[in-house]
Amino acid sequence: MTINIKHKNKLDEIASILLNADFDEQYGLLVGKCGIALFLAYYAKYSKSEKYLERSQSLLEQSFEDVNNGSLYPSYSAGLGGLGWTLEHLVKNNFIELDTDDVLEPMDSYLSDWQNENLKNKDFDYLHNGLGASMYFLARGKSGEAYLKDVPKLLRANADINSDFTEVKWQSEIGIDTKKLGYNFGLSHGIPSIIGLLTKLAKSDIDRDLSIKLLRGAVNYIVKNGLGSTELSEFPYSIVEGEKPNSSRLAWCYGDLGVAIALYQASKVLEDDSLKDYSIGVFRKSCQRRDLKENGVVDAGLCHGAAGNAHMYNRMYLETGEEVFKEAAEYWFDQALEFAYFEDGYAGFKQFRFENEKVRWENSYGFLEGISGIGLALISFVSDVEPVWDESLLMS
């Protein structure tokens, strides 16, 4: 790839800030200390500097101190699920050495109960609810398998399934304020994330036959409800009875990139070349979308910003070797740097907030919307360090 020295300099600036900052964040993966620790571990590998790994380990130790002091929050995004996932990931990928069973076993029953209760209540959301614990148990490998055995059955029990099982979908609230029910097409909170989890469950042979059956039906539902070639996006935000589906933004959280990457990963487990070709085709079409306003890109973060788009194109370039994805990644990484214009921002970056009809810009060290995630994406751009951290966001 064409790598401007500006990309490396910005990465180094982010690393310096995160090495030296004082953090009062909670211990979560996507919004707290664990996401920062994840970046520092990968930057240590990239820079070959042990001080960043030492800082990473220090943040993990602080996180467990918070837990031991009574800070118990189960979610994957902001709590124990993400803490456990981070620890397992760093051990599995040889960043640190540790017997994770000694540390994590006390959390297992608590997270299992939380997982199952949420799934029974149709609270699937993997960032904040039941399937986040499933992500944790998948990371636990053999130690987590027993806690996953009922997950496919719980997903089946709460799905809308047609008579021949060719379409499977899960209903959820669409919009915090409206409380409308519908079928969410976002990788962050909707059916594509369930596709991502089922892909991992099938790959791990967790009730494989049922996992595959649910996976195939869910894929069929998503593909059948594409908007077609005349619309801006291939997929809508959601399907709500009585409402016309709308084209979606270009992002990880909602839109074609998140949906297509979930379908691409599913195609491997399903051994479905036509689905693989379809998902790659969605990515190719999306490469033509460059208008920032039209695509809803207003900042640089992984969730819905330029670095997130850049990394997903980079991931598809690594998967396929197609030059069109390389060029798209370069474009969006350049756009990400253009958003580093705040004099009081961390490395120039701030995350966009729109609440109560008011725009707000906030500094964030975090993984999902802040500079840790931007930094991780930049590492994958400027080096050959394999970005397996993106498993955490169902990209691999």
Side-chain angles (χ1 to χ4, degrees):
M1 290 191 178
T2 304
I3 302 168
N4 193 301
I5 191 64
K6 290 189 297 185
H7 298 101
K8 289 188 174 182
N9 288 344
K10 183 60 67 176
L11 172 59
D12 293 343
E13 185 180 356
I14 290 171
S16 178
I17 290 169
L18 294 174
L19 178 67
N20 297 298
D22 292 323
F23 303 114
D24 58 5
E25 275 84 353
Q26 58 200 45
Y27 54 83
L29 169 57
L30 302 188
V31 296
K33 292 188 183 84
C34 290
I36 300 164
L38 191 67
F39 165 78
L40 290 166
Y42 273 84
Y43 189 82
K45 187 172 184 178
Y46 160 73
S47 65
K48 298 180 173 58
S49 175
E50 285 295 312
K51 64 182 179 181
Y52 295 98
L53 186 59
E54 291 169 2
R55 178 65 164 145
S56 174
Q57 292 173 310
S58 174
L59 289 176
L60 292 173
E61 290 168 2
Q62 290 175 34
S63 297
F64 277 99
E65 287 175 10
D66 292 343
V67 173
N68 291 334
N69 288 331
S71 178
L72 292 177
Y73 189 64
S75 87
Y76 179 73
S77 173
L80 295 174
L83 171 58
W85 185 95
T86 304
L87 201 64
E88 288 284 9
H89 179 81
L90 293 178
V91 170
K92 175 184 174 182
N93 290 284
N94 301 313
F95 288 96
I96 58 177
E97 292 184 6
L98 185 70
D99 184 343
T100 53
D101 281 346
D102 285 346
V103 179
L104 297 178
E105 271 187 357
M107 294 165 33
D108 288 348
S109 294
Y110 173 69
L111 285 175
S112 176
D113 291 343
W114 186 76
Q115 167 192 258
N116 295 343
E117 186 64 27
N118 272 264
L119 296 185
K120 288 174 184 176
N121 292 332
K122 301 184 180 181
D123 293 326
F124 305 113
D125 189 324
Y126 96 99
L127 295 188
H128 307 299
N129 298 115
L131 289 176
S134 306
M135 286 288 287
Y136 162 75
F137 288 121
L138 283 162
R140 296 276 282 128
K142 291 292 183 183
S143 298
E145 287 181 0
Y147 301 101
L148 291 166
K149 62 183 177 62
D150 292 331
V151 171
K153 296 180 183 68
L154 289 168
L155 287 172
R156 177 180 180 171
N158 291 294
D160 296 333
I161 303 172
N162 65 356
S163 59
D164 59 0
F165 232 97
T166 55
E167 286 188 28
V168 180
K169 55 190 177 181
W170 290 267
Q171 194 175 61
S172 59
E173 286 186 356
I174 306 296
I176 297 173
D177 300 323
T178 64
K179 302 297 182 182
K180 290 185 297 187
L181 293 177
Y183 300 97
N184 189 318
F185 276 51
L187 182 57
S188 53
H189 307 293
I191 294 172
S193 66
I194 300 178
I195 287 174
L197 264 295
L198 284 167
T199 298
K200 292 182 178 296
L201 290 169
K203 189 175 179 180
S204 298
D205 290 324
I206 305 298
D207 201 344
R208 182 177 173 84
D209 289 345
L210 178 57
S211 293
I212 288 288
K213 202 172 182 180
L214 292 169
L215 178 59
R216 169 55 72 187
V219 164
N220 289 346
Y221 174 74
I222 291 290
V223 172
K224 179 181 177 181
N225 285 279
L227 297 175
S229 59
T230 61
E231 299 293 329
L232 174 67
S233 66
E234 179 70 18
F235 301 106
Y237 281 101
S238 60
I239 300 289
V240 178
E241 186 176 355
E243 295 185 6
K244 182 180 183 294
N246 294 318
S247 289
S248 56
R249 71 194 307 165
L250 193 70
W252 168 81
C253 55
Y254 284 91
D256 288 354
L257 300 185
V259 179
I261 210 159
L263 296 179
Y264 178 81
Q265 295 301 330
S267 74
K268 298 179 185 179
V269 169
L270 294 172
E271 299 180 344
D272 186 335
D273 289 340
S274 64
L275 178 62
K276 181 179 180 181
D277 291 343
Y278 172 76
S279 60
I280 293 173
V282 173
F283 263 99
R284 288 196 197 106
K285 177 186 173 184
S286 73
C287 290
Q288 303 168 26
R289 297 174 61 180
R290 299 292 175 88
D291 185 287
L292 297 182
K293 184 176 181 181
E294 184 179 60
N295 292 313
V297 181
V298 296
D299 63 14
L302 288 181
C303 181
H304 45 255
N309 291 350
H311 181 72
M312 283 185 284
Y313 285 120
N314 190 27
R315 164 56 68 187
M316 291 307 293
Y317 174 62
L318 295 173
E319 293 277 347
T320 68
E322 291 194 18
E323 290 293 317
V324 66
F325 300 138
K326 173 183 174 182
E327 193 274 333
E330 290 171 350
Y331 169 81
W332 284 106
F333 274 118
D334 285 343
Q335 291 301 313
L337 263 59
E338 291 294 320
F339 285 117
Y341 57 76
F342 293 94
E343 290 186 6
D344 60 340
Y346 298 157
F349 296 107
K350 287 192 176 185
Q351 66 179 83
F352 176 83
R353 283 274 187 260
F354 186 74
E355 296 176 359
N356 300 321
E357 299 184 353
K358 292 183 179 179
V359 172
R360 196 168 77 242
W361 292 94
E362 295 181 352
N363 278 314
S364 174
Y365 294 118
F367 174 40
L368 189 59
E369 297 184 86
I371 60 172
S372 294
I374 297 169
L376 279 163
L378 284 169
I379 291 172
S380 71
F381 179 54
V382 304
S383 75
D384 59 0
V385 175
E386 187 177 0
V388 287
W389 56 266
D390 64 8
E391 291 178 311
S392 64
L393 298 178
L394 299 173
M395 296 186 205
S396 62

